[in-house]
Amino acid sequence: MDIDLADLRAHPSSDVFEEVLAEVADDVRELVGVGEVADYIPALARVPADRFGMAVADLHGDLHTVGEADRPFSIQSISKVFSLILATQRFEGDLWDRVGREPSGDPFNSLVQLEHECGVPRNPFINAGAIVIADVLSSCLADPLGELVALVSELAGAEIPIDGEVARSEASTGYRNRSLANLMKAFGNIQGEPDDVLDIYFAQCALTMSARQLATALRFLANDGVDPASGHRVLDVEKARRINALMLTCGTYDAAGEFAFRVGIPCKSGVGGGIVGVIPHHLTACAWSPALDRTGNSVAGRAAIEQLVERTGLSVF
Ligand code: DON
């Protein structure tokens, strides 16, 4: 369908998105199930590959969905956006002394760069960077995990649970993350005990949310830091823009260049198959489909966000 962008902006309860989402679901149907479900976390290996759901949160506070948009899934690395938001809100020191802001060009769990760069992770969205953020949160909050769950639940407008089985499953096999945390401890960039910090990290990755809840929770990133439904300011405009910038450059790891080229909006993915995309001043979208490509990004999820951009003509460029 041809979309009138002026119309899209002017009409508070535009039903254009319902139609667009139905078309997007059709576009990606053949890709659903293409790729591999993450199995290095044993509890995730059981998720059926042939699932797809998508939600769009617009700036009028309305939600639009297609497919299994209400089915909860493991948000995994998408949790790194929430922990960065909490650290941005609450940490009074300079976060950027501890973690960089450059794309890594390496897989999300790579150890190589970290040794060369003396234990300072390239960005807060690779595993090492998110482990540093978990350490920062433990240094400034009495109950970092409780505060994180409270923030995510408040933003999503629902009680968001941690799947204890997924967290334990990752803890029992998370040797690479243990290596990253111990290496950074040796370089002096982790203050707490590595195992304690990892407990927080594994638990945050096991937060379980639906596409609808994720699109809702991060819609403030499309609205200069203000939740469009409640009017509540979550972050100041500059900080919200910076999170979007990091999502664009680092949110999909060694596929970030390809995402920017093909999709062209800030995105954050997780190995549970979710991808959140933000089109500033228009919408936040979340697509979920568990089968992943070799970079750990959902095949059908990426195609769905790409088709949403293609069909609406909305982009940051
Ligand atoms: O630490 C891990 O490997 C997982 N808990 C999270 C990785 C992840 O989701 C990467 N995303 N595409």
Side-chain angles (χ1 to χ4, degrees):
M1 74 184 291
D2 284 335
I3 293 180
D4 178 344
L5 290 185
D7 186 56
L8 200 64
R9 289 178 200 124
H11 290 95
S13 57
S14 168
D15 58 4
V16 157
F17 287 119
E18 304 293 334
E19 225 172 302
V20 172
L21 284 179
E23 291 173 350
V24 167
D26 262 0
D27 293 335
V28 304
R29 199 171 305 281
E30 296 203 339
L31 290 175
V32 174
V34 172
E36 301 289 331
V37 173
D39 58 3
Y40 74 99
I41 300 172
L44 294 186
R46 296 198 293 271
V47 179
D50 60 347
R51 300 286 162 94
F52 175 78
M54 188 167 185
V56 164
D58 68 27
L59 295 199
H60 309 293
D62 293 328
L63 253 292
H64 313 273
T65 64
V66 69
E68 297 184 78
D70 288 305
R71 185 176 292 275
F73 59 88
S74 191
I75 74 167
Q76 293 297 319
S77 281
I78 300 173
S79 68
K80 296 167 182 172
V81 181
F82 294 112
S83 59
L84 181 61
I85 292 165
L86 186 58
T88 303
Q89 287 176 331
R90 305 289 290 280
F91 182 58
E92 285 173 5
D94 191 352
L95 215 51
W96 308 113
D97 286 342
R98 307 268 308 270
V99 60
R101 303 181 292 240
E102 294 294 343
S104 69
D106 277 330
F108 57 83
N109 55 6
S110 172
L111 282 145
V112 178
Q113 216 163 38
L114 200 57
E115 165 77 1
H116 281 303
E117 298 180 359
C118 302
V120 178
R122 275 284 172 108
N123 65 68
F125 293 153
I126 51 174
N127 290 7
I131 293 168
V132 166
I133 299 296
D135 184 54
V136 164
L137 291 176
S138 359
S139 72
C140 67
L141 301 174
D143 177 14
L145 197 54
E147 298 237 19
L148 186 65
V149 172
L151 172 71
V152 176
S153 300
E154 187 193 330
L155 291 173
E159 288 281 307
I160 301 300
I162 289 170
D163 184 330
E165 194 196 344
V166 171
R168 282 189 296 278
S169 176
E170 181 164 20
S172 69
T173 54
Y175 299 109
R176 265 187 175 271
N177 285 326
R178 263 178 231 295
S179 308
L180 293 167
N182 282 300
L183 185 59
M184 292 190 289
K185 180 75 181 173
F187 277 113
N189 198 19
I190 292 287
Q191 290 171 5
E193 275 309 309
D195 281 344
D196 297 341
V197 177
L198 285 167
D199 281 347
I200 296 170
Y201 173 75
F202 293 141
Q204 73 173 66
C205 288
L207 282 162
T208 299
M209 298 173 77
S210 65
R212 179 195 294 271
Q213 289 169 335
L214 273 165
T216 303
L218 291 173
R219 63 189 160 182
F220 74 92
L221 288 176
N223 196 38
D224 290 335
V226 175
D227 185 324
S230 65
H232 170 65
R233 175 166 289 287
V234 182
L235 286 180
D236 69 36
V237 59
E238 184 182 280
K239 288 176 175 161
R241 281 184 191 159
R242 287 180 163 169
I243 289 186
N244 286 335
L246 287 167
M247 285 171 67
L248 181 74
T249 53
C250 313
T252 50
Y253 314 107
D254 41 338
E258 183 71 3
F259 260 78
F261 185 81
R262 290 180 53 161
V263 183
I265 62 169
C267 287
K268 182 75 206 81
S269 62
V271 291
I275 303 184
V276 174
V278 179
I279 309 184
H281 307 135
H282 292 287
L283 59 87
T284 295
C286 178
W288 170 64
S289 193
L292 310 176
D293 64 18
R294 53 160 200 85
T295 62
N297 296 300
S298 167
V299 174
R302 178 177 88 173
I305 302 272
E306 192 176 339
Q307 282 306 118
L308 177 72
V309 169
E310 175 86 21
R311 286 191 173 277
T312 58
L314 300 170
S315 171
V316 296
F317 297 115

